[in-house]
Amino acid sequence: MPTTTIAGRAVDVNDEGFLTRPDQWSDDLGRELGRLIGIELTDEHWRLVHFLRDDYARQGETATLRRVSTQTGTPVKALFTLFPGKPAKKMAYVAGLPKPKGCV
């Protein structure tokens, strides 16, 4: 398992750069992960990131785009605006969680 340094700390990642130990995540690390993919996190981003982390703790897997949308009341179109391109994958990355099932 590769280790890399992000935001001044060593973290375990997979071959795609996703954290393999969600317990290594922090808000500072999330901010830096967002910056690395070109996203400056706003309060709305943080609301979704924290939802994902809380949901992961309860469910044991990363929420899909549809689950994020229905559980947070955020339209899918807004998720694409906040996390352009592949929102589910980008949200999971910033939240320090595994890619949701079905993400390529």
Side-chain angles (χ1 to χ4, degrees), residues 31-48:
R31 191 173 295 107
E32 181 62 13
L33 291 169
R35 189 191 68 73
L36 290 172
I37 60 172
I39 297 173
E40 185 175 332
L41 301 177
T42 64
D43 289 345
E44 185 62 13
H45 289 99
W46 283 116
R47 183 178 76 85
L48 297 168

mmCIF file of all heavy atoms in Angstrom, residues 31-48:
data_model
loop_
_atom_site.group_PDB
_atom_site.id
_atom_site.type_symbol
_atom_site.label_atom_id
_atom_site.label_comp_id
_atom_site.label_asym_id
_atom_site.label_seq_id
_atom_site.Cartn_x
_atom_site.Cartn_y
_atom_site.Cartn_z
ATOM 1 N N ARG A 31 -9.342 19.786 2.683
ATOM 2 C CA ARG A 31 -9.132 21.061 1.981
ATOM 3 C C ARG A 31 -8.039 20.903 0.924
ATOM 4 O O ARG A 31 -8.178 21.358 -0.215
ATOM 5 C CB ARG A 31 -8.759 22.139 2.999
ATOM 6 C CG ARG A 31 -8.755 23.545 2.465
ATOM 7 C CD ARG A 31 -8.536 24.581 3.580
ATOM 8 N NE ARG A 31 -9.659 24.566 4.514
ATOM 9 C CZ ARG A 31 -9.615 24.066 5.764
ATOM 10 N NH1 ARG A 31 -8.504 23.549 6.242
ATOM 11 N NH2 ARG A 31 -10.684 24.092 6.528
ATOM 12 N N GLU A 32 -6.948 20.234 1.300
ATOM 13 C CA GLU A 32 -5.841 20.025 0.363
ATOM 14 C C GLU A 32 -6.233 19.067 -0.757
ATOM 15 O O GLU A 32 -5.875 19.280 -1.921
ATOM 16 C CB GLU A 32 -4.608 19.505 1.103
ATOM 17 C CG GLU A 32 -3.406 19.281 0.219
ATOM 18 C CD GLU A 32 -2.863 20.529 -0.465
ATOM 19 O OE1 GLU A 32 -3.243 21.665 -0.102
ATOM 20 O OE2 GLU A 32 -2.058 20.373 -1.404
ATOM 21 N N LEU A 33 -6.975 18.013 -0.446
ATOM 22 C CA LEU A 33 -7.436 17.090 -1.489
ATOM 23 C C LEU A 33 -8.316 17.828 -2.495
ATOM 24 O O LEU A 33 -8.210 17.600 -3.703
ATOM 25 C CB LEU A 33 -8.189 15.916 -0.862
ATOM 26 C CG LEU A 33 -7.335 14.939 -0.046
ATOM 27 C CD1 LEU A 33 -8.217 13.983 0.740
ATOM 28 C CD2 LEU A 33 -6.363 14.193 -0.933
ATOM 29 N N GLY A 34 -9.173 18.711 -2.000
ATOM 30 C CA GLY A 34 -9.985 19.528 -2.901
ATOM 31 C C GLY A 34 -9.123 20.402 -3.795
ATOM 32 O O GLY A 34 -9.343 20.477 -5.007
ATOM 33 N N ARG A 35 -8.133 21.029 -3.194
ATOM 34 C CA ARG A 35 -7.237 21.894 -3.963
ATOM 35 C C ARG A 35 -6.518 21.096 -5.055
ATOM 36 O O ARG A 35 -6.365 21.562 -6.188
ATOM 37 C CB ARG A 35 -6.209 22.558 -3.046
ATOM 38 C CG ARG A 35 -5.377 23.631 -3.740
ATOM 39 C CD ARG A 35 -4.204 24.090 -2.903
ATOM 40 N NE ARG A 35 -3.190 23.052 -2.754
ATOM 41 C CZ ARG A 35 -2.339 22.655 -3.719
ATOM 42 N NH1 ARG A 35 -2.387 23.196 -4.905
ATOM 43 N NH2 ARG A 35 -1.449 21.708 -3.491
ATOM 44 N N LEU A 36 -6.115 19.875 -4.729
ATOM 45 C CA LEU A 36 -5.397 19.041 -5.698
ATOM 46 C C LEU A 36 -6.233 18.714 -6.934
ATOM 47 O O LEU A 36 -5.679 18.456 -8.005
ATOM 48 C CB LEU A 36 -4.922 17.743 -5.035
ATOM 49 C CG LEU A 36 -3.800 17.885 -4.021
ATOM 50 C CD1 LEU A 36 -3.552 16.571 -3.296
ATOM 51 C CD2 LEU A 36 -2.521 18.391 -4.688
ATOM 52 N N ILE A 37 -7.557 18.716 -6.791
ATOM 53 C CA ILE A 37 -8.422 18.452 -7.952
ATOM 54 C C ILE A 37 -9.107 19.730 -8.440
ATOM 55 O O ILE A 37 -10.063 19.676 -9.205
ATOM 56 C CB ILE A 37 -9.446 17.333 -7.671
ATOM 57 C CG1 ILE A 37 -10.368 17.681 -6.506
ATOM 58 C CG2 ILE A 37 -8.739 16.006 -7.461
ATOM 59 C CD1 ILE A 37 -11.525 16.711 -6.311
ATOM 60 N N GLY A 38 -8.611 20.876 -7.969
ATOM 61 C CA GLY A 38 -9.086 22.156 -8.487
ATOM 62 C C GLY A 38 -10.380 22.669 -7.884
ATOM 63 O O GLY A 38 -11.077 23.460 -8.512
ATOM 64 N N ILE A 39 -10.701 22.234 -6.656
ATOM 65 C CA ILE A 39 -11.938 22.676 -6.016
ATOM 66 C C ILE A 39 -11.613 23.397 -4.714
ATOM 67 O O ILE A 39 -10.974 22.834 -3.827
ATOM 68 C CB ILE A 39 -12.872 21.479 -5.725
ATOM 69 C CG1 ILE A 39 -13.294 20.809 -7.034
ATOM 70 C CG2 ILE A 39 -14.095 21.933 -4.930
ATOM 71 C CD1 ILE A 39 -14.076 19.528 -6.844
ATOM 72 N N GLU A 40 -12.043 24.655 -4.624
ATOM 73 C CA GLU A 40 -11.937 25.398 -3.375
ATOM 74 C C GLU A 40 -13.239 25.166 -2.609
ATOM 75 O O GLU A 40 -14.317 25.527 -3.071
ATOM 76 C CB GLU A 40 -11.734 26.892 -3.642
ATOM 77 C CG GLU A 40 -11.502 27.675 -2.372
ATOM 78 C CD GLU A 40 -11.181 29.128 -2.641
ATOM 79 O OE1 GLU A 40 -10.637 29.449 -3.715
ATOM 80 O OE2 GLU A 40 -11.489 29.957 -1.759
ATOM 81 N N LEU A 41 -13.119 24.535 -1.463
ATOM 82 C CA LEU A 41 -14.309 24.092 -0.738
ATOM 83 C C LEU A 41 -15.058 25.244 -0.074
ATOM 84 O O LEU A 41 -14.488 26.029 0.675
ATOM 85 C CB LEU A 41 -13.910 23.050 0.310
ATOM 86 C CG LEU A 41 -13.226 21.798 -0.249
ATOM 87 C CD1 LEU A 41 -12.818 20.869 0.880
ATOM 88 C CD2 LEU A 41 -14.123 21.081 -1.229
ATOM 89 N N THR A 42 -16.356 25.305 -0.372
ATOM 90 C CA THR A 42 -17.252 26.285 0.234
ATOM 91 C C THR A 42 -18.045 25.585 1.343
ATOM 92 O O THR A 42 -17.922 24.364 1.536
ATOM 93 C CB THR A 42 -18.250 26.817 -0.815
ATOM 94 O OG1 THR A 42 -19.080 25.722 -1.243
ATOM 95 C CG2 THR A 42 -17.531 27.438 -2.011
ATOM 96 N N ASP A 43 -18.897 26.319 2.020
ATOM 97 C CA ASP A 43 -19.734 25.718 3.056
ATOM 98 C C ASP A 43 -20.602 24.594 2.488
ATOM 99 O O ASP A 43 -20.825 23.580 3.151
ATOM 100 C CB ASP A 43 -20.633 26.775 3.715
ATOM 101 C CG ASP A 43 -19.856 27.733 4.602
ATOM 102 O OD1 ASP A 43 -18.697 27.437 4.953
ATOM 103 O OD2 ASP A 43 -20.416 28.791 4.945
ATOM 104 N N GLU A 44 -21.091 24.757 1.265
ATOM 105 C CA GLU A 44 -21.922 23.722 0.645
ATOM 106 C C GLU A 44 -21.106 22.455 0.369
ATOM 107 O O GLU A 44 -21.585 21.342 0.585
ATOM 108 C CB GLU A 44 -22.573 24.240 -0.639
ATOM 109 C CG GLU A 44 -23.531 23.275 -1.277
ATOM 110 C CD GLU A 44 -24.746 22.907 -0.422
ATOM 111 O OE1 GLU A 44 -25.006 23.567 0.599
ATOM 112 O OE2 GLU A 44 -25.444 21.948 -0.787
ATOM 113 N N HIS A 45 -19.867 22.619 -0.099
ATOM 114 C CA HIS A 45 -18.986 21.463 -0.278
ATOM 115 C C HIS A 45 -18.804 20.733 1.054
ATOM 116 O O HIS A 45 -18.929 19.512 1.127
ATOM 117 C CB HIS A 45 -17.606 21.892 -0.790
ATOM 118 C CG HIS A 45 -17.573 22.367 -2.194
ATOM 119 N ND1 HIS A 45 -17.578 23.707 -2.512
ATOM 120 C CD2 HIS A 45 -17.506 21.700 -3.369
ATOM 121 C CE1 HIS A 45 -17.518 23.833 -3.822
ATOM 122 N NE2 HIS A 45 -17.479 22.635 -4.376
ATOM 123 N N TRP A 46 -18.497 21.503 2.094
ATOM 124 C CA TRP A 46 -18.248 20.901 3.411
ATOM 125 C C TRP A 46 -19.484 20.157 3.926
ATOM 126 O O TRP A 46 -19.366 19.091 4.539
ATOM 127 C CB TRP A 46 -17.799 21.954 4.423
ATOM 128 C CG TRP A 46 -16.364 22.341 4.243
ATOM 129 C CD1 TRP A 46 -15.889 23.558 3.887
ATOM 130 C CD2 TRP A 46 -15.218 21.498 4.408
ATOM 131 N NE1 TRP A 46 -14.516 23.526 3.812
ATOM 132 C CE2 TRP A 46 -14.085 22.277 4.127
ATOM 133 C CE3 TRP A 46 -15.044 20.158 4.751
ATOM 134 C CZ2 TRP A 46 -12.788 21.755 4.198
ATOM 135 C CZ3 TRP A 46 -13.758 19.641 4.813
ATOM 136 C CH2 TRP A 46 -12.650 20.446 4.538
ATOM 137 N N ARG A 47 -20.655 20.710 3.688
ATOM 138 C CA ARG A 47 -21.887 20.041 4.132
ATOM 139 C C ARG A 47 -21.976 18.654 3.505
ATOM 140 O O ARG A 47 -22.283 17.665 4.187
ATOM 141 C CB ARG A 47 -23.106 20.896 3.757
ATOM 142 C CG ARG A 47 -24.442 20.321 4.227
ATOM 143 C CD ARG A 47 -25.594 21.253 3.858
ATOM 144 N NE ARG A 47 -25.938 21.179 2.457
ATOM 145 C CZ ARG A 47 -26.760 20.270 1.918
ATOM 146 N NH1 ARG A 47 -27.309 19.344 2.671
ATOM 147 N NH2 ARG A 47 -27.025 20.288 0.631
ATOM 148 N N LEU A 48 -21.665 18.570 2.225
ATOM 149 C CA LEU A 48 -21.731 17.287 1.520
ATOM 150 C C LEU A 48 -20.608 16.343 1.951
ATOM 151 O O LEU A 48 -20.832 15.148 2.148
ATOM 152 C CB LEU A 48 -21.694 17.522 0.012
ATOM 153 C CG LEU A 48 -22.873 18.323 -0.541
ATOM 154 C CD1 LEU A 48 -22.614 18.757 -1.973
ATOM 155 C CD2 LEU A 48 -24.166 17.530 -0.424
#
